[in-house]
Amino acid sequence: MKTEIITPAAIQYFPLAQLYVSDMNPRQDADPEGIDLLADSLAMIGLIQNLSGTVDADGRVGIVAGGRRLRAIARAVERDPTVTKRHPELASVPVRIAPDEATARAWASAENAAREDLAPADEIRAYGRVKDAGADVSTIARSFGKTEAHVYRRLALAALPVPILDALKAGQISLGMAKAFTVSQDEALTLQVLADVKGRDVSEYRIKQALQPDAISGTDRRALFVGLDAYEAAGGRLIRDLFSDTTALHDADLLDRLFIEKLKEEAAKAGAVWKWVEVWTDSYIPYDTTEKMDRVYRVEGELTEEQTERYDELAELANGDVLDEAGQAELAELVAILDGDYTDAQRAVAGVFVYVGSDGRLCVTNPLVSPYDRAEAIETQVLTGHAATRHGAASIEDAPKSPYSGALVEDMKAVRLAAIQTALLDKPEMIFDLLAFGLSLASGVSTHVFDLSPGRPNNCPSKPERLEFSERLTHAPAGHEAWSRPELRIDDLATAFRTFVAAGKKARNAALVESVARTLPYGAGSAEFFGLIEADAGAGIRKVWTPTAENFFSRVSADYLDTLHLELTGCDPQGSGFKAHKAQKKAEKAQCMERLFSDAEYQKAWKIDAEKKARIEAWTPDCF
């Protein structure tokens, strides 16, 4: 069989006037607007792809592939003859010449039938070059026949580090993965994550999480409640993702402050109406918070005979979907009368919780009577019948109000938990006993050991001052942090395991003790069982925590501080010393209480003997 060797066609250069669109070119008609857009592109970046044609008997060149480009070159030169100085290829046009008519027809059919768009990486770089040449977004959009939104997104990709686009061009990452990198503001971290994901099928979400592990979603209830405009106005930094229409906030402390401030403002409005209002920072009010409270209901109103007749008329029209806007407003006013309102007597004894739901909307609970106000509510007949007796006779008595806020109680629980976990660090055998007990049927149906997922209970209060917190109780980093922290990744597990075993049982036991101790949750099993663990471990809050003005005393009432001072010092409540103490502002009292617990000279001034000192050293708040 004879093999024909085909010599590649050479590219030759011809004056623009010598070129025309051949009858063999399938694209005989062209949209003038499209030609204008292409002419804009050629004027900015020049001719990227040569034309293809055949030389006729007169020596002219008929273009069989690239007719739109030829028309656009002519239009660009017609508009601005000087364009050929910037782009000489528009004056002397490169054309690949077909060796014969059959080849020319094949080229015409093939190029126009199998036309492909630019590869994403090439398109992105082309947009970037045009922008660097001084073109604005609208001009680029017209030139390439794309929407401005498309151009904005491509330019965001063009701004990525060169290795990202190189990886996209080489097929080592997908276009979606490249888009995820646009949220990063840290080039070093960007390149680190790129090295981790190249050649792997990693979701865009995981890449974004690795690039901004501390970011807060714009759909977070705090962000929704505060509002992005208010957050930005306060100096908050955020990044808008052009590709997913999502927003990430990067100043958690500022967002928390704005959230609390706005929530307190809303609570103040409710506080002007009700006896009490409590701000709740969680997204819901737990049942155990309100289970001992009593709800009060609106006192229903009554319509006059005339209003009742009008109500019936309007309701009939509404049911027939023929009630106009004025009628709807009138009907709403009558419904409001029927719904009724709360009385001054109810407002005098009830209160509300104010919080923000998971959807970012402000929520106010139905009004509730606390146990501390039940006696007054019963006396004024706000609570009657079952509501007045459902908690039993004992509850009618005026219960003393707790001096501890919910947040302080949670902090003290964290301190108590840290104390127990600290004690367990020195009780490896007890840890093993508890672990074995929890994993066996002796404690009931349990989880298989290899399905264990260590929890992360809160063992560090919001104000950790004077808490001797062991670093061994610090929870391990979350899994997603491994993206940005190479030291957390283990590539050779087999070698790592052998090294771990070689360290010996002592090291193994220490790792097990630490891991298990810090996963002990508050109230493990039951309050009684949790107390047993605390006692058997020899735990004590005061072994790891000392109360200060910041972490405790400033967070309780001035009356509480006065009572505690009397209890611990045993001084004369009518004496000048205590009267002087009591006359101070709360902040000053809190500082004095801190000194009472830690300043030997201050203790001496209050005549704290060995017995009283022991009482101070053993004291813990009774909020558990």
Side-chain angles (χ1 to χ4, degrees):
M1 179 178 177
K2 183 178 179 180
T3 303
E4 182 180 359
I5 300 175
I6 300 177
T7 302
I11 293 178
Q12 301 179 35
Y13 292 83
F14 298 90
L16 178 59
Q18 198 172 334
L19 308 180
Y20 66 94
V21 178
S22 169
D23 292 340
M24 288 185 276
N25 192 310
R27 297 180 182 269
Q28 291 297 312
D29 297 318
D31 174 34
E33 185 176 353
I35 295 300
D36 287 341
L37 291 172
L38 184 54
D40 290 340
S41 175
L42 292 171
M44 283 188 289
I45 63 175
L47 182 67
I48 297 176
Q49 185 178 3
N50 61 266
L51 312 183
S52 298
T54 180
V55 180
D56 63 17
D58 298 326
R60 300 182 69 208
V61 179
I63 300 303
V64 298
R68 289 184 72 253
R69 274 166 280 159
L70 176 59
R71 293 183 180 93
I73 292 172
R75 184 69 55 81
V77 174
E78 179 185 354
R79 289 175 176 173
D80 179 14
T82 64
V83 72
T84 56
K85 294 181 179 180
R86 299 192 304 274
H87 304 294
E89 71 276 12
L90 301 184
S92 182
V93 183
V95 182
R96 185 174 57 155
I97 300 299
D100 51 50
E101 182 177 336
T103 301
R105 290 187 181 279
W107 285 356
S109 299
E111 179 166 326
N112 286 281
R115 177 179 295 178
E116 293 183 358
D117 291 333
L118 285 173
D122 295 332
E123 181 190 9
I124 292 164
R125 282 175 163 145
Y127 283 25
R129 287 195 297 271
V130 176
K131 182 178 183 295
D132 291 341
D136 59 21
V137 170
S138 60
T139 301
I140 298 172
R142 290 196 307 273
S143 301
F144 284 84
K146 302 291 185 180
T147 65
E148 291 191 11
H150 177 81
V151 174
Y152 273 116
R153 295 185 179 107
R154 285 297 190 256
L155 289 177
L157 290 164
L160 288 171
V162 172
I164 301 286
L165 297 181
D166 289 343
L168 176 62
K169 177 72 173 177
Q172 296 172 313
I173 62 173
S174 67
L175 179 59
M177 294 167 70
K179 291 175 180 177
F181 281 96
T182 60
V183 305
S184 178
Q185 302 292 306
D186 184 338
E187 184 170 347
L189 178 58
T190 295
L191 298 179
Q192 175 61 59
V193 174
L194 174 65
D196 289 336
V197 304
K198 277 198 300 188
R200 300 171 55 198
D201 183 17
V202 180
S203 71
E204 296 173 38
Y205 173 78
R206 292 198 64 189
I207 292 174
K208 291 176 184 179
Q209 191 177 42
L211 292 170
Q212 42 185 15
D214 299 322
I216 300 167
S217 170
T219 59
D220 182 280
R221 67 188 184 93
R222 294 168 296 171
L224 294 173
F225 180 63
V226 170
L228 297 183
D229 290 342
Y231 171 79
E232 282 192 288
R237 186 169 63 91
L238 56 78
I239 296 176
R240 291 183 171 88
D241 187 342
L242 292 174
F243 299 97
S244 63
D245 294 324
T246 59
T247 304
L249 288 70
H250 290 268
D251 193 336
D253 291 340
L254 173 63
L255 179 61
D256 284 336
R257 177 172 65 79
L258 295 175
F259 176 78
I260 294 298
E261 287 177 355
K262 184 174 181 180
L263 189 54
K264 286 183 176 179
E265 288 176 5
E266 296 295 337
K269 297 175 185 177
V273 177
W274 298 99
K275 178 177 181 179
W276 58 267
V277 59
E278 183 166 344
V279 170
W280 202 266
T281 56
D282 290 337
S283 61
Y284 67 97
I285 308 298
Y287 172 73
D288 59 3
T289 299
T290 60
E291 65 174 330
K292 294 183 179 179
M293 297 183 177
D294 296 279
R295 177 182 171 182
V296 297
Y297 297 84
R298 296 174 184 270
V299 176
E300 295 182 0
E302 293 184 2
L303 299 179
T304 64
E305 185 175 339
E306 182 180 347
Q307 288 174 324
T308 301
E309 184 176 337
R310 182 57 176 160
Y311 175 86
D312 292 338
E313 292 174 2
L314 295 172
E316 185 175 351
L317 292 173
N319 291 334
D321 291 329
V322 292
L323 188 60
D324 60 20
E325 187 173 336
Q328 291 175 359
E330 185 180 357
L331 179 60
E333 291 177 0
L334 295 174
V335 170
I337 294 175
L338 287 173
D339 288 342
D341 198 0
Y342 298 104
T343 67
D344 290 341
Q346 289 174 320
R347 298 179 192 279
V349 294
V352 294
F353 290 92
V354 177
Y355 63 102
V356 174
S358 57
D359 58 359
R361 290 188 297 180
L362 180 71
C363 300
V364 180
T365 63
N366 290 308
L368 300 163
V369 175
S370 75
Y372 315 116
D373 298 310
R374 278 180 54 77
E376 183 180 352
I378 293 171
E379 183 179 348
T380 57
Q381 295 192 341
V382 169
L383 296 180
T384 59
H386 173 69
T389 59
R390 74 184 186 96
H391 295 293
S395 66
I396 297 177
E397 298 177 2
D398 191 12
K401 185 174 181 178
S402 172
Y404 311 109
S405 67
L408 178 54
V409 169
E410 291 305 312
D411 269 0
M412 293 312 303
K413 286 181 178 179
V415 170
R416 182 185 179 193
L417 182 60
I420 298 173
Q421 290 180 348
T422 300
L424 287 174
L425 291 175
D426 296 324
K427 301 280 186 177
E429 293 303 319
M430 185 175 178
I431 284 285
F432 300 148
D433 289 344
L434 288 169
L435 180 61
F437 175 72
L439 294 177
S440 70
L441 290 179
S443 61
V445 179
S446 189
T447 295
H448 295 296
V449 65
F450 293 111
D451 286 336
L452 285 174
S453 178
R456 303 168 67 88
N458 177 31
N459 56 9
C460 186
S462 61
K463 299 184 182 299
E465 182 194 25
R466 296 299 301 273
L467 173 66
E468 298 175 16
F469 189 78
S470 172
E471 292 185 0
R472 296 165 67 194
L473 293 177
T474 302
H475 291 299
H480 65 79
E481 293 186 45
W483 288 102
S484 56
R485 297 177 57 186
E487 73 275 11
L488 299 178
R489 296 194 296 273
I490 302 297
D491 296 321
D492 188 348
L493 288 175
T495 300
F497 177 70
R498 297 300 182 199
T499 302
F500 179 81
V501 172
K505 288 187 177 181
K506 184 176 180 180
R508 179 211 65 186
N509 291 350
L512 181 58
V513 167
E514 292 171 14
S515 300
V516 175
R518 61 176 169 252
T519 61
L520 177 75
Y522 190 89
S526 66
E528 182 181 357
F529 184 63
F530 190 55
L532 178 146
I533 296 174
E534 182 176 27
D536 286 5
I541 289 177
R542 293 299 305 281
K543 291 181 178 180
V544 299
W545 176 77
T546 300
T548 66
E550 180 182 0
N551 70 23
F552 186 83
F553 297 123
S554 64
R555 303 170 71 185
V556 294
S557 69
D559 289 342
Y560 179 96
L561 295 177
D562 292 339
T563 301
L564 181 61
H565 189 280
L566 285 172
E567 175 189 332
L568 295 177
T569 62
C571 66
D572 181 1
Q574 301 302 319
S576 58
F578 179 73
K579 287 183 177 180
H581 170 83
K582 190 173 183 178
Q584 296 181 108
K585 295 180 179 179
K586 176 184 169 181
E588 296 171 335
K589 292 181 183 180
Q591 291 293 335
C592 288
M593 290 304 298
E594 177 177 331
R595 294 180 64 191
L596 184 63
F597 275 72
S598 57
D599 187 333
E601 290 300 317
Y602 191 79
Q603 291 176 349
K604 184 178 179 180
W606 282 96
K607 301 179 180 179
I608 302 299
D609 56 22
E611 180 182 349
K612 293 175 182 177
K613 186 175 179 62
R615 187 188 310 162
I616 291 173
E617 292 176 348
W619 177 87
T620 58
D622 55 349
C623 58
F624 303 107

